[in-house]
Amino acid sequence: MDTPIYLDHAATTPLDKRVLEKMLPYLTDTFGNADSPHAFGRKAMQAVDDARDKVAELIRARKNEVYFTSGGTESDNWAMLGGAYAKRGEGRKKIVLSSIEHHAVLSSAERLQKEGFEVVVLPVNEGGRVALNTLEEAITPDTALVCLMTANNETGVLQPIDEACALAHKNGALFFTDAVQGAPYMPIDMQKNQADILSFSAHKFYGPKGAGVLYIKNGVKIAKLVGGGEQERGMRGGTVNVAGVVGLAEAYALAREEMSENNEKIKKLVRLYLQEISCLDGVTQNGDRENALPSVLNLRFEGVDNTTFLYKMDLNGVCLSAGSACASASVKPSHVLTAMGKDDVWAKQSVRLSFGKNNTEEEIKRSARLTVETVRALRNF
Ligand SMILES: *Cc1c(COP(=O)(O)O)cnc(C)c1O
């Protein structure tokens, strides 16, 4: 059989060969520990410095606002816990977040709740977007931290982060946004974005796994989580993943350079797919497609169990998922679709396709054909 078709770019993306080229020296000859005060260390530190410069310039931040981490999950944990702990000193003990955050954020909120914080989880509307009036009500002068993701990873729906940020600041709270899913498709610009803390991760934009960023605005104090050496200006211990941060910076530079081209290409592929499956009835798009990333399509096929559908598609060489990869081992319906008011049956008939820059029209046509066949077969069964 042909190589399988990959339609799960919201879970991860393949490493761009150009990125690998930049990383290779730091996995082999230039292997030094960036903190060693000798020639090997200096060379590694130079690479880390250059990567930090490049990322800072691209997101229009200062160099000392860019912290390298092991990925989106660590960045999210650090932002949530570190932000909450720092603000607890001011007597603030309320955390406000949306119900559709990634599990890296939700699990941190659960932990904060166990530690005595009041956690307010905001609903979303049918389109998958947090309503501003709920934010306004929830954010009060005793709020420590407000968290709202830039774009949701299961539906692609964009969130009103500027408005949420303004409300947080009006009440003296920190504002954190998880931009992991948005970063490949929307430019991060910290001169426009007023967030205090922002996370993103290299492997969602054709960089290596295990490398991420936490942006922390100058003057914003958050508690440190990973203790050890004095790396990352004393805020995050651990030998820096030199090849990882070199790859992150290169992948992000390419993502920015080629963003509009990639977005256009992906939009065309999504249109093609929808057109090719338009012969099916009982198909509904989950989430407000007018305010969404170009790459994610969340579809409900009426009467079709998603586990069986995904299994059949995989068997025939098309790989997609039911939602976030982190939750797909569990049989629970998606917390995102549930938050959007969908019942369990609806959620269990929904799948996520996420398209990428390397997908071809041929692949999309083949995937659409297989979708039609599989949906029909399962409905007749
Ligand atoms: C993938 C993802 C994460 C987790 O990032 P990792 O680098 O895989 O740990 C967090 N938030 C969102 C929205 C994501 O899509």
Side-chain angles (χ1 to χ4, degrees), residues 23-32 40 43:
M23 292 173 65
L24 274 175
Y26 300 98
L27 292 163
T28 50
D29 301 335
T30 317
F31 61 84
F40 284 86
K43 254 190 142 167

Side-chain angles (χ1 to χ4, degrees), residues 272-350:
L272 176 65
Y273 178 83
L274 287 172
Q275 183 192 317
E276 297 279 309
I277 65 159
S278 61
C279 55
L280 285 174
D281 50 23
V283 182
T284 316
Q285 294 188 34
N286 292 317
D288 173 12
R289 292 294 304 158
E290 299 301 309
N291 287 300
L293 298 175
S295 51
V296 180
L297 205 52
N298 196 309
L299 298 178
R300 183 236 180 168
F301 297 113
E302 192 183 347
V304 176
D305 175 67
N306 60 9
T307 314
T308 321
F309 176 81
L310 296 174
Y311 173 75
K312 297 267 186 212
M313 293 292 281
D314 188 16
L315 212 58
N316 287 291
V318 178
C319 300
L320 61 151
S321 72
S324 92
C326 323
S328 57
S330 64
V331 287
K332 275 200 260 168
S334 150
H335 71 285
V336 176
L337 296 178
T338 305
M340 287 159 65
K342 309 300 182 197
D343 61 21
D344 287 4
V345 173
W346 187 290
K348 292 286 289 166
Q349 295 178 349
S350 296

Side-chain angles (χ1 to χ4, degrees), residues 7 30 36 65 82 84 105 116 126 132 138 174 193 203 209 249 265 268 285 288 302 319 336 350 372 376 379-380:
L7 296 180
T30 317
S36 298
E65 294 174 319
V105 166
E126 208 186 39
L132 285 175
L174 291 175
N193 190 330
H203 76 100
K209 293 167 183 61
K265 182 183 174 186
K268 263 176 78 179
Q285 294 188 34
D288 173 12
E302 192 183 347
C319 300
V336 176
S350 296
V372 171
R376 284 189 176 147
R379 280 180 181 163
N380 287 333

Side-chain angles (χ1 to χ4, degrees), residues 98-100 122-125 128-132 134-135 148 158-160:
S98 82
S99 48
I100 56 165
L122 300 175
V124 295
N125 62 26
R129 200 171 149 97
V130 166
L132 285 175
T134 63
L135 275 162
L148 184 60
L158 307 180
Q159 301 301 317

Side-chain angles (χ1 to χ4, degrees), residues 10 71-73 76 102 149 151 153 178 180-181 201 203-204:
T73 299
D76 286 356
H102 190 272
M149 68 202 316
N153 48 301
D178 169 346
V180 176
Q181 202 59 233
S201 176
H203 76 100
K204 302 288 171 88

